[in-house]
Amino acid sequence: MSANGYRLLPGTGTRLGATWDGAGTNFALFSAHAEKVELCLFNPSGRREVARIPLPEYTHQVWHGYLPDVRPGQLYGYRVHGPYAPEAGHRFNPNKLLLDPYARAHSGELRWHDSLFGYKVGAKREDLSFDRRDSAFVMPKCVVVADASSWGADRAPRTPWARTVIYEAHVGGLTNGADHVEEPLRGTFEGLAEPQTIRHLQRLGVTAIELLPVHDFPDDRHLLDRGLVNWWGYNSMGFFAPATRYLTQPAALDEFRVMVRRLHDAGIEVLLDVVYNHTAEGNQMGPTLSFRGIDNVSYYLLGDDPRYYYDTTGTGNSLNLDNRRVLQFVMDSLRYWVEDCHVDGFRFDLASTLGRRRDQFDPHAPFFDAVLQDPVLAQVKMIAEPWDTGNDGYQVGNFPPGWAEWNDQYRDTVRAFWKGDEGQAQKLADKLLGSASVFEHEGRRPSASVNFVTAHDGFTLADLVSYNDKHNAANGEDNRDGHSHNVSWNHGVEGPTDDPDIVTLRDRQRRNLLATLLLSHGTPMILMGDEQGRSQGGNNNAYCQPGEMNWLDWSKMDDPFAAFLRGLIDVRLDRPLLTAERYLHADPDNPEGRHVVWHRLQGDEMQPDAWDDPQRRALAVSYHGREDRTLLLALNAGAEGRELVLPDGYWRRLVDTAEGFAMTRGAADILTGTVAIEGRALLLLEAEDDG
């Protein structure tokens, strides 16, 4: 059989996507409701369609065909025929070129034009109208690629959860301002793979880098119209394809793999922030780029009126993981990034949507059960952002065993304590010990709580201590976007100041916040740039800002704060009492005999009624274990200095935020009796004997 001059064979529907087998390419596309699928081949520039070939076979809801004459590098897309009946949920329009959901690479960028929409933009009937214009000239094209090349001796670090320290970063922001990276490589996977970039991560002592989305994504039309971009990337349109903006050459997939290999060689794991809760196609008024035109009814959750989408993400649509083929698509994508690209885990954006049964969250939803039994995914780190925008969406602590979760309760409690808010002491005690009240069930460990005080979504650490209010005017939304409840404190002046007292206090508060983070049980996550005081000028939603606001400042690599952070990480990782794999309580109910005792600064044990004092802004906790040196952690969020009465014995300082001191070998001076703890300061001491 031949079509348009190309030899055409039936092929197979067992492996979805475009698969090169060394002799030809098999094309397979799932669509349960299509009536015909056409494979469109393009010339190397992607500007001219050179062949349109109907896929000859339809097996188990998969359209497929095999072309012996198609080689790696071939550009392609699909046109899918079927009913255009939005009132029934169907939005087929063969005039629209569609991306293959399984494409491993894209060529070109999406260029916004009204022809991208399945309906006539501006028509009175809105999305019920039908647009006949061809969208191929403004669409990126899919690329046929060969399977991954040999990885050689690459070995995953396999860092235990208890010893994991995460650094959340943006591929572009990490090296766009880096002089040590050649200009064409800045802001790319290649730039991140540069030895000096990786040395910075090693010097900090982090064990994993969590990258904001690297799946291919477009810049939203409304942002480009305002001279902005989709900087963060939470709007995926290619779940197997790396973002073209982070590659130096189209379809240069080895650039991502080289980055992973070099990070692994440095002992650093690679975690990907992934967005499987929605796609870039938006609501019923959005463009037709892929899933909508392939099989809208299957891929998306639809409302009671199937013309509209059931949206729990705030983006206009939600993927339908109750559909077995959509679940297969997500699982295949995740396995691809682990098996072919060697990533070490994932952080799932708005993960509650992945476990939805319409209005209710279900920890036994098909996706969670599929991950649990999958021999590949069960071995990597899985982190949930445990909420979405729908009913029953807030699910912190309710994800299945084996998952870790972003803990926003930790963030808000630590911020409120150091801000000096009332009634925070007992809440903080729980958070310091892994948020046992939230996560200690079904055999979950303290590492299930991913602790953070800052993240990409919100203030940076420097802004957290410099602004009371968000300042997001640059986003073009009249400061309406971003959270208004930040639990932040400017310490007397909104924004930058030359007042030396305020600058000194802000610096100490930054140390207090990060020291609390690194000395808490759980999995700590640090935001890129917090080690050097990166500021976004009070913008707490810099998702659309492409400039230096979102860049790491490589001229500040010698900032003393970075050395303080490294000291904190060393102190943490050198002491098993701070990385306990079991929850510590007042009784030594574990094989190591590890337990804690809560104290007032006066030295006596904290009594139950003492926790009820809303004015309590200081507390101490001692950590004990049969084979461990005793530790004493004291925190004073009050404005005035206090005396800390030490337990019997001799003690050495490990961390002092008033002095900016954090060293794993401890200070030279030996302490006994009492020690001063300044106002708004933290001390960590270690016993000089078995305690």
Side-chain angles (χ1 to χ4, degrees), residues 519 571 575 577-578 596-604 619-624 629-635 643-656 671 673-675 677 682-688:
L519 300 178
V571 167
R575 286 162 179 81
L577 282 170
L578 296 177
V596 297
V597 178
W598 292 98
H599 308 268
R600 297 194 307 155
L601 295 194
Q602 293 90 328
D604 55 325
L619 69 160
V621 57
S622 55
Y623 302 77
H624 306 264
R629 287 181 180 269
T630 299
L631 299 174
L632 179 66
L633 175 65
L635 308 95
E643 287 291 317
L644 171 64
V645 178
L646 302 176
D648 292 341
Y650 298 96
W651 299 82
R652 192 184 298 273
R653 282 185 309 154
L654 299 179
V655 178
D656 185 342
L671 307 172
T674 63
V675 63
I677 178 171
L682 175 151
L683 281 176
L684 179 67
L685 309 176
E686 184 174 60
E688 276 296 284

Side-chain angles (χ1 to χ4, degrees), residues 247-526:
L247 299 171
T248 65
Q249 300 289 332
L253 305 186
D254 279 345
E255 294 181 4
F256 181 88
R257 295 174 179 132
V258 166
M259 176 196 74
V260 172
R261 173 67 185 270
R262 290 184 181 174
L263 286 164
H264 282 179
D265 287 346
I268 297 171
E269 293 185 307
V270 179
L271 311 178
L272 299 186
D273 196 335
V274 290
V275 188
Y276 293 104
N277 58 79
H278 74 278
T279 78
E281 292 184 305
N283 64 13
Q284 75 277 4
M285 303 303 290
T288 296
L289 308 176
S290 181
F291 310 91
R292 173 174 284 138
I294 293 170
D295 194 343
N296 189 64
V297 170
S298 294
Y299 272 107
Y300 292 115
L301 286 172
L302 303 182
D304 294 336
D305 180 346
R307 176 183 174 186
Y308 303 102
Y309 294 88
Y310 185 84
D311 176 20
T312 62
T313 68
T315 66
N317 67 63
S318 301
L319 279 173
N320 178 20
L321 269 71
D322 273 339
N323 182 288
R324 63 187 181 89
R325 285 293 191 178
V326 181
L327 176 60
Q328 177 193 2
F329 158 71
V330 172
M331 297 296 290
D332 286 349
S333 171
L334 291 169
R335 278 192 296 268
Y336 169 74
W337 289 99
V338 175
E339 294 184 307
D340 286 48
C341 301
H342 287 204
V343 305
D344 304 285
F346 305 93
R347 178 267 188 188
F348 293 81
D349 177 64
L350 299 180
S352 293
T353 292
L354 307 179
R356 278 198 168 274
R357 296 296 177 88
R358 303 295 288 189
D359 284 339
Q360 300 297 320
F361 175 81
D362 181 3
H364 303 290
F367 173 68
F368 297 134
D369 287 347
V371 168
L372 178 65
Q373 61 80 40
D374 188 279
V376 174
L377 300 180
Q379 302 302 314
V380 301
K381 291 182 167 71
M382 306 293 270
I383 303 171
E385 182 184 38
W387 51 79
D388 64 19
T389 65
N391 181 64
D392 198 37
Y394 187 78
Q395 293 294 330
V396 173
N398 295 329
F399 274 67
W403 283 74
E405 304 174 37
W406 272 28
N407 188 351
D408 64 329
Q409 297 175 25
Y410 178 94
R411 175 198 65 197
D412 292 348
T413 298
V414 172
R415 288 183 179 190
F417 177 80
W418 286 112
K419 182 170 170 279
D421 289 354
E422 293 183 354
Q424 299 301 315
Q426 189 165 19
K427 294 179 184 178
L428 181 70
D430 178 59
K431 305 312 172 195
L432 287 173
L433 297 182
S435 299
S437 66
V438 179
F439 294 101
E440 192 179 14
H441 58 86
E442 298 183 279
R444 301 183 78 181
R445 300 299 176 93
S447 56
S449 175
V450 175
N451 300 330
F452 62 102
V453 291
T454 56
H456 70 274
D457 186 4
F459 281 144
T460 66
L461 187 62
D463 288 352
L464 183 65
V465 299
S466 302
Y467 293 91
N468 286 344
D469 303 302
K470 63 183 181 180
H471 295 266
N472 298 356
N475 296 352
E477 300 179 43
D478 297 323
N479 209 38
R480 295 188 304 271
D481 62 302
H483 295 289
S484 296
H485 180 66
N486 295 291
V487 200
S488 61
W489 179 29
N490 65 19
H491 298 85
V493 174
E494 188 76 352
T497 180
D498 294 327
D499 186 310
D501 292 335
I502 293 177
V503 170
T504 297
L505 182 53
R506 286 177 176 177
D507 286 347
R508 184 184 298 181
Q509 291 283 60
R510 288 166 56 209
R511 292 193 291 269
N512 287 333
L513 290 160
L514 271 196
T516 306
L517 174 66
L518 269 301
L519 300 178
S520 296
H521 291 170
T523 303
M525 185 184 76
I526 303 157

